[in-house]
Amino acid sequence: MTADDEWLWHGGSVCLDFVNTLRDRWKEPRETLREPGDVLRWLYTAGMAGEPALPHAEPEGVLVLARRLREAIDRAIMAAASGELPHAGDLSVINEAAMAALRPAPQVAIVDGRLAPGESRDRAEGAAAGLGLVAHDAVDLLVSDEVRRVRLCGADRCALRFVDRSPAHNRRWCAMARCGNRTKVRAHQRRQREQPPPSWKSVTA
């Protein structure tokens, strides 16, 4: 996997990071889950499943299940973000996947002198259970007020999904370092090209 294909974690929720494994949705979608081993590695990196065994330890159907769940989550969340009801078929896919895994045991921690939810130490066993935890996260987002804050990155080739938690709710980019700065640089270069060259008189004056 090249540096440009590395998984990104700008979504603000596990389920949106999972949706974002299909890159560049605006124009030519680019797949990063190409084989069952990719699903296992993504789930492990996201903290949803244990360390993957050999790639052939999971059946080929895991890849089909993962992509099917990913697109159902995307359609359901984008519909809800627009104030519409998701398609019943997509909700069925999410609910069915969620039944494959129990929620991790809750943890409590002391953070800055206060009690706060701690990071779960439990990981699901196997890809189907890990995908079930991703589906759990999608359910949580769908029934929360935050679903109306899901946005698309404003860069013309990106379209990563993210939860806008900015104070003014006006975040435009999946990440400033990834798309914001690039877009600003391209806009500046375009303005420079469109400026008319200085006239001979202004140069010699």
Side-chain angles (χ1 to χ4, degrees):
M1 186 174 292
T2 67
D4 192 44
D5 285 330
E6 288 177 353
W7 294 310
L8 301 173
W9 311 98
H10 304 315
S13 72
V14 171
C15 65
L16 291 182
D17 287 332
F18 183 58
V19 166
N20 290 337
T21 59
L22 184 63
R23 209 68 52 74
D24 302 336
R25 288 175 179 264
W26 277 131
K27 295 188 177 181
E28 296 181 9
R30 192 158 45 87
E31 184 62 76
T32 66
L33 301 181
R34 302 184 184 94
E35 56 187 40
D38 292 332
V39 178
L40 298 173
R41 286 187 291 273
W42 187 92
L43 289 170
Y44 174 71
T45 305
M48 296 291 103
E51 189 169 3
L54 296 175
H56 58 72
E58 293 286 349
E60 189 72 24
V62 164
L63 183 61
V64 176
L65 172 63
R67 291 178 177 177
R68 182 169 176 248
L69 174 62
R70 179 186 63 191
E71 298 313 301
I73 290 173
D74 184 49
R75 288 189 297 266
I77 287 178
M78 297 314 298
S82 301
E84 302 175 0
L85 288 176
H87 191 277
D90 289 330
L91 296 182
S92 178
V93 170
I94 295 169
N95 288 334
E96 183 178 350
M99 289 190 293
L102 298 175
R103 289 181 182 273
Q107 304 285 302
V108 64
I110 297 176
V111 180
D112 296 329
R114 301 174 60 185
L115 289 175
E119 182 178 354
S120 172
R121 298 177 183 176
D122 292 345
R123 291 171 180 254
E125 292 297 328
L131 291 171
L133 294 180
V134 176
H136 276 291
D137 188 69
V139 170
D140 287 342
L141 181 57
L142 282 166
V143 298
S144 73
D145 292 336
E146 280 200 330
V147 74
R148 298 300 296 272
R149 296 181 185 174
V150 174
R151 307 282 187 265
L152 302 182
C153 180
D156 57 2
R157 292 187 178 182
C158 181
L160 288 186
R161 280 73 164 135
F162 62 87
V163 179
D164 179 6
R165 297 192 178 99
S166 63
H169 305 312
N170 60 353
R171 178 178 160 190
R172 294 184 59 192
W173 319 111
C174 62
M176 180 58 70
R178 172 180 163 79
C179 286
N181 290 338
R182 293 178 187 176
T183 302
K184 290 182 178 181
V185 168
R186 285 197 294 267
H188 175 73
Q189 292 173 340
R190 184 171 60 252
R191 288 193 298 269
Q192 292 292 100
R193 290 194 300 269
E194 292 173 352
Q195 285 183 351
S199 66
W200 180 83
K201 290 183 178 180
S202 64
V203 172
T204 58

